[in-house]
Amino acid sequence: MMARVRRPWLTRNVRVLSAVSFLQDTASELLYPLLPIYLTSVLGAPVAVVGAIEGAAEGAASLTKLAAGPLGDRYARRPLIATGYGMAALGKVMVAAFAAWPGVLAGRVVDRLGKGIRGAPRDALLVVDVDASARGRVFGFHRAMDTAGAVVGPLLGLAAYELLDHQIAPLLWIAVIPAVLSVALVFLSRERRRVADVRSKSGSATVVRSGIFSRVRDLPRGYWRITALLVAFGVVNFPDALLLLRLNEIGFSVPEVILAYVTYNAVYALVSYPAGVLADRFPQPVVLGIGMVFFAIGYGGLGLTDDKATAWLLIGAYGVFTGCTDGVSKAWISTLVGVDLQSSAQGVFQGATGFAILAAGLWAGFAWGADGTLPLLVSGAVGAVFAVVLLGLGVRARQLKGGAPIPVTE
């Protein structure tokens, strides 16, 4: 009888929280590919509003992440996670209930506020009792499960879209169901009780730090350098809603836009775990740099082509980019700090990245013009520069550390 392979990194929390993310993403991504078309074609909003709504939603999430991250290092993380998923469910109800774009804006902001509250505490809970050498696999598995929901959700949406005679509004209510189920599942995760107040040594005396952001000051210099680099890239990585709008402009029908988004997420899901495994074996910047190469190909190609077949391939290339960077960047951040700073580190990193996406959504939306060629080409060119920088950092790290991942800084 074959012995069962033990995976010490696949803890109860990794399994439960990955299932939670799968359900929530099924709900979110059922809506996401339809929202740009719903806003512009049904509610009559201009293209700039699409970028502004997504940017404002990400900005709201970013503000919340900055506070929720440090709170996750001071207090219980599971209630924060449950609150975040609950707000996401409420936001989806609001999007379905309002029939004007300001209502959709409000719903998206509430939804993303929930994302901001849950993100960093959840990512900190994911790596509890997991060795730093397996963080890539943890985040890769989580992102694969999360993104599997982004495959199932749009497919459900497409089936319902056809069954409901091409009506988008009823689909918004269907998305509420898996969102509510994800909230209930959170309570199956486990968390050990931790001390609420944060103490540090000052000479021979012990100082009690009571501020929300007290632990942020303890984040090491190396963490700030890497965060600054990755956040700078976020300024050219605008919301996916604009890419879907570009597909519609190329000539994709609503079902084709949904299927293209499914293709993107299927590639993203398939790449995420192998990318995480590679990030546990090689320097993380190498995997991120490879992802940036595909970003440059995807964005630059979509800016240049009007051919639908080519656009399908480019959307797949963009999925490789996300699979190589999303989980790997979080894993890299997690290895730069000790266990007591995980939530703060993820909160600041994800919050700052969200602000960068806000900026990207705004400038790209206003510079979109007739077909979005200019912002796509600009972002693709800048992405190529970041690919060179990260690959260079990866080669240097491999030379200095013999190919091992960058170690934890306690």
Side-chain angles (χ1 to χ4, degrees), residues 98-190:
F98 290 107
W101 71 258
V104 175
L105 169 61
R108 285 289 291 162
V109 168
V110 171
D111 187 332
R112 296 297 89 179
L113 282 172
K115 181 180 178 66
I117 290 173
R118 71 182 185 251
R122 180 202 62 208
D123 291 341
L125 205 58
L126 277 171
V127 298
V128 169
D129 299 326
V130 176
D131 189 80
S133 64
R135 302 277 173 83
R137 275 165 283 184
V138 167
F139 283 104
F141 179 81
H142 177 262
R143 297 318 301 164
M145 286 290 291
D146 181 279
T147 312
V151 174
V152 173
L155 288 176
L156 288 175
L158 179 58
Y161 180 77
E162 295 297 334
L163 289 172
L164 295 171
D165 194 26
H166 296 184
Q167 297 181 70
I168 295 178
L171 301 181
L172 308 181
W173 289 106
I174 296 174
V176 174
I177 299 170
V180 172
L181 290 175
S182 73
V183 181
L185 199 56
V186 170
F187 294 97
L188 293 179
S189 62
R190 291 175 177 171

Side-chain angles (χ1 to χ4, degrees), residues 9-297:
W9 58 269
L10 195 59
T11 63
R12 178 190 178 99
N13 282 347
V14 172
R15 295 194 303 270
V16 169
L17 294 176
S18 295
V20 169
S21 292
F22 169 80
L23 286 171
Q24 185 62 227
D25 227 46
T26 296
S28 295
E29 302 299 343
L30 192 156
L31 301 180
Y32 193 75
L34 295 170
L35 276 181
I37 300 167
Y38 180 65
L39 284 165
T40 55
S41 300
V42 179
L43 301 184
V47 174
V49 167
V50 177
I53 284 177
E54 292 306 310
E58 291 299 332
S62 302
L63 279 173
T64 318
K65 287 174 184 176
L66 291 175
L71 284 174
D73 284 332
R74 292 174 56 83
Y75 303 108
R77 291 164 179 161
R78 196 171 67 169
L80 289 170
I81 298 168
T83 299
Y85 282 108
M87 289 185 66
L90 174 61
K92 290 171 178 61
V93 171
M94 294 174 64
V95 169
F98 290 107
W101 71 258
V104 175
L105 169 61
R108 285 289 291 162
V109 168
V110 171
D111 187 332
R112 296 297 89 179
L113 282 172
K115 181 180 178 66
I117 290 173
R118 71 182 185 251
R122 180 202 62 208
D123 291 341
L125 205 58
L126 277 171
V127 298
V128 169
D129 299 326
V130 176
D131 189 80
S133 64
R135 302 277 173 83
R137 275 165 283 184
V138 167
F139 283 104
F141 179 81
H142 177 262
R143 297 318 301 164
M145 286 290 291
D146 181 279
T147 312
V151 174
V152 173
L155 288 176
L156 288 175
L158 179 58
Y161 180 77
E162 295 297 334
L163 289 172
L164 295 171
D165 194 26
H166 296 184
Q167 297 181 70
I168 295 178
L171 301 181
L172 308 181
W173 289 106
I174 296 174
V176 174
I177 299 170
V180 172
L181 290 175
S182 73
V183 181
L185 199 56
V186 170
F187 294 97
L188 293 179
S189 62
R190 291 175 177 171
E191 180 177 15
R192 291 190 296 268
R193 174 171 290 186
R194 292 173 296 117
V195 178
D197 61 314
V198 181
R199 301 175 182 271
S200 65
K201 294 289 184 179
S202 179
S204 59
T206 299
V207 179
V208 178
R209 295 183 177 180
S210 57
I212 292 177
F213 299 103
S214 59
R215 300 312 309 276
V216 174
R217 293 192 295 270
D218 296 331
L219 294 170
R221 185 176 301 174
Y223 163 85
W224 290 109
R225 287 198 297 266
I226 300 306
T227 295
L229 175 66
L230 298 179
V231 168
F233 167 73
V235 177
V236 298
N237 184 19
F238 42 80
D240 295 342
L242 292 176
L243 295 182
L244 300 180
L245 190 61
R246 171 62 179 160
L247 295 180
N248 189 237
E249 291 166 348
I250 288 174
F252 281 54
S253 65
V254 171
E256 286 174 333
V257 168
I258 296 172
L259 288 174
Y261 193 60
V262 169
T263 300
Y264 155 71
N265 280 301
V267 174
Y268 174 10
L270 289 171
V271 171
S272 290
Y273 180 71
V277 172
L278 287 176
D280 286 336
R281 297 179 180 176
F282 300 97
Q284 296 95 337
V286 170
V287 184
L288 289 169
I290 293 170
M292 298 291 183
V293 171
F294 283 94
F295 174 88
I297 293 171

